[in-house]
Every structure is written in structure tokens, then in C-alpha cells.
Amino acid sequence: MSVLFRNVRVYDGGLAEGVTAPTSVLVMGDTIAAIGADLAAATPADAEVIEGNGDLLIPGLINAHFHSPVNHMKGMLPNLPLEIFMLYESPDLEALRPSPREAYVRTMLAAMEMLKTGATSVQDDAFFVPHPTPEVIDAVMQAYRDVGIRATVALDQPELAELEKLPFLAELLPDAMRQELAHPPAFGSERLLESYRHLIDAWHGAEGGRLSAAVSCSAPQRISPEYMGALDDLSRAHDLPFYVHMLETKLQRVLAHEQPRFAGRSLVRYTHDLGLLSDRMNIIHAIWMDDADYDLIAASGASVAHNPISNLRLGSGVMPFRTLRERKINICLGTDEAIADDAVNMWGVAKQAALIHTIGDPDYKRWPDASEILDCLFRGGAKAMRRGDSLGAIEVGRLADLALIDLDTAAFTPLNDIRRQLVFCENGAGVRATMVAGRIVYDGARLTTVDERALRAEAREIFSGRKAALEGARSEAARWLPYYEAMVAKAAARDVGFNRWLGYSGA
């Protein structure tokens, strides 16, 4: 199959204005085959021609950090600190086990939203309640196969007891409740590794490489060093991204002095000392870190996934963007989960990333500019996916993951600066077409791969029937809430030597 984008302007971050003169782009199979003003001789007779009208062709947006299993929970929670938020977001209850069809439909909800707003790739750090099964893993992957997005999926599951993952609870809880949290999940590391073998054997490289596997330890405090090492072995053997949440909250910084296994070391230093920091690692959030932590990350070549909207929603703090850029740490952007963003729209993430870092630093020359944000969105996401040589730019030989942006919209009228208007003005409404692996999956009016209306109707029916289970989960969370609130308050009062809550003058 061949597609010719005729009379388009092409985004090129290396150009002073960020965009070429009107030209054409020929896609053959899943690859960009040629770029030039006159491609008539190179274009097959049966090629589909998309008249660009001088509109803008950009690399597909890359959602570099996401959790699909709570796509159906938009708007369900108020702003909450992460550790309290997680009580409600992913309780380990059998009643919340999804059917394969439920997992398929809820995965579709966000995938459809992403494609319609120009996102062509997603890194899904999928967690499974109460644990993964082959059928549910297959349902998630089948959804990504059917909708046509590029997806790299990991299994985000802890294997340690709750008391080992969090500080202060052992002293705050009554004896009976403390015993409930003292037992690790029954679905341990060996069964989790079996689940990974299924994911990799069945899905890694499927659809011509459009679907692939990653590994995830969730976070270093949530698993044993042995399991973390086994995941690193898988990552190395198959060249998979390794997703790791690190120091998202102040409480996680405080944990270093409360758990003997960390011996006062930050989670970054602990991971480094295990020999597991590498360029395959996606370090998610990276907020409550000091200069020594960022130096270790820079030396390892790891990427950092920045999720500014989620971080604001959960009050986690602000990642020091300029500190990372000065160390040449690769930064990619993510929505995090739908329940923590209430949308799965990378345009909002890009705008927030450009805005949040202007507070707290009076030197405006250190604020991110639009070109840096787009670099994180395109090149940064591609590198984090281990696709730095095939995604993130429009060049001959790269994969044809593209979005066509209508410039005859309010966002670009008049056209003053393409970079700034992409970051600050576009919201996804201007996407005329989305292409993944050379296939048009959204034509500006509808998704070409699935019946979106029918899937939304099915989602409403399925999840209206899950309200009782969700209410039960909220009741269970309420039982633990006073103790988790006390834990979070105690951590907030600790002095860790620096601050990531801008303007906060407390301890």
C-alpha cells in the first residue's frame, strides 16, 4: 500500500522556522519512501493521494507513559496525594477482576482518543487487578492490534507486602490491620515472570513490530532485588524498555531512611548500586531527586518520563526540567493514567510542560521553550521506546507514523510561529489524519479501524454494571484512609534537604 501526502509542509525541528516549504511525502508500506516537491515518477499508480492543502505534517505524538486499566475511571476521584489516590485507584480486590472483554473495551477507550488527537504510539505500563492472566493480557494487546496504534506494553505488578513499600504504617496501624498488610501478594515473582514469557512469546514484534513488550517493576520499593534483576535480564535479552516509577512523591524520598534495605540511599542510588540503571530504563516522574540522583541518571543514559498534569493532579511536586536538560538527560512526555489526567491528550501535556516550569525560577531564560517541548514529545518519546532511529522525525527510511494538522483553524490563524502554536494553541481538534505504520487509522471524520460509537456504547453498558464493585472498593479504602492520611502527613513534615512543592514553606 502506498500513500502520497501532496502539498504539505513538513515539521523539521532542525530548520529555523521549524517547517519546510510545501512539498510531498511518499509512504510505501510502513516506511517514508521519499520527500520532495515532485514525486510523480516515484509514486505508484495505485497510491492513495491525500491533498495536503499546505497543511502541516508532523511526526505522530508519542505518549511515553500511560496506564490503560483505569481508562473507565475518568473524573471519579478528587485531587489526592498519590499514596491515598492508590487506595481508590487500584485496590487488590477480586471483585474488580475484569473479564477479557472488559479489558479489551476499556483499553479501546483511550486508544481511540489518542489516535483522534494525533498520538500514534503509547507506552502502556499496564497493571492488572488482582493479577495478570493470559486472557486479559491478550485482550489488551488485541485492542491495540485492532485499533491500529503502536503500543509497547509492560505488566506493572508489585510483589512485596504493603508494609515493605511504605513508611510509618507499621507503627500507625492497629495490630489486626497491620497483619493484613504484612503478607505479600500470592501471585509472586515466578508467576509474574511466566506472565512476561506469555506476553513476549505471543505479542512481542507482532503486527510487523507495531506491538511490542516492555518490562516494569512498578517501583524499586515495591519489588525484591531478585525480581528486579530478573526483569532487567529480560529487558537486556530482548532490548525492551524497562519502566520504573522513581521518587514521584516526597514520601518515597523519606522511605529511604525508614526501610533498612535502602540504608538511607535514594531509590536512584539503590537501583544504581544493584547495577540496574541503564539506557533501557524509563524513569517515571523523577521529582524528589537531588543533583547526585540526576548525575547517576545522566551517566546511565536512562530516559525520564515527565507527566506534568498527573503530577499536578496528585500534588506530587514539579520535576526540575532545566536540571535534567542541562545534564542532557532524555525527557519524554506522558499523560499517565486517564484517572490522573482525566484525558489522554498529549497536546494538553505538552502545553502544561511548557507552562509549569515558569514558576519557581525567576530567570526566564531557563524556562522551556516550545522547541524543547516538541523535542521531548517527538525525539524524546522515540528514544524512550528504543525507537530513536525509526520514529520521532519525518525522514526517508523512518516509520510512517504521522499526523496531518489543519492550519486553517483558529489555532494557526494567523500563522506566526509554528512551534509555539503547536505547543500553546493546538488541542487535537486540528488533526486531519493520523497514520500508523503507513496506514490511515483516522481520516479526520472517523476511525477507520473500529466502530467507535459501538465501543463507547458497550463501555457505558459494561461499566454501569461495575458501579457496585467500585462502591465496595471505596468502602474498603475508607477503612484505611485515616492511617494513610497520617502516613502522608508525617512524610510531608520531614526535612529532606530540598523542596519540589513550589512556594511551600513548611518543614
Side-chain angles (χ1 to χ4, degrees), residues 373-397:
I373 298 301
L374 293 171
D375 180 63
C376 296
L377 186 60
F378 300 139
R379 185 196 62 82
K383 184 175 181 181
M385 288 184 73
R386 314 291 292 164
R387 300 268 192 167
D389 59 350
S390 59
L391 293 175
I394 301 178
E395 298 172 353
V396 172

Side-chain angles (χ1 to χ4, degrees), residues 83-135:
E83 292 78 16
I84 296 173
F85 171 88
M86 290 180 70
L87 278 176
Y88 296 89
E89 166 233 24
S90 56
D92 188 6
L93 298 176
E94 183 64 34
L96 294 179
R97 179 190 294 277
S99 68
R101 185 63 187 178
E102 180 179 338
Y104 178 92
V105 170
R106 74 185 184 192
T107 302
M108 275 289 185
L109 290 176
M112 295 187 300
E113 183 177 355
M114 285 186 276
L115 289 174
K116 291 178 69 176
T117 52
T120 55
S121 295
V122 60
Q123 294 203 115
D124 185 359
D125 191 18
F127 52 83
F128 298 85
V129 175
H131 55 74
T133 65
E135 296 78 15

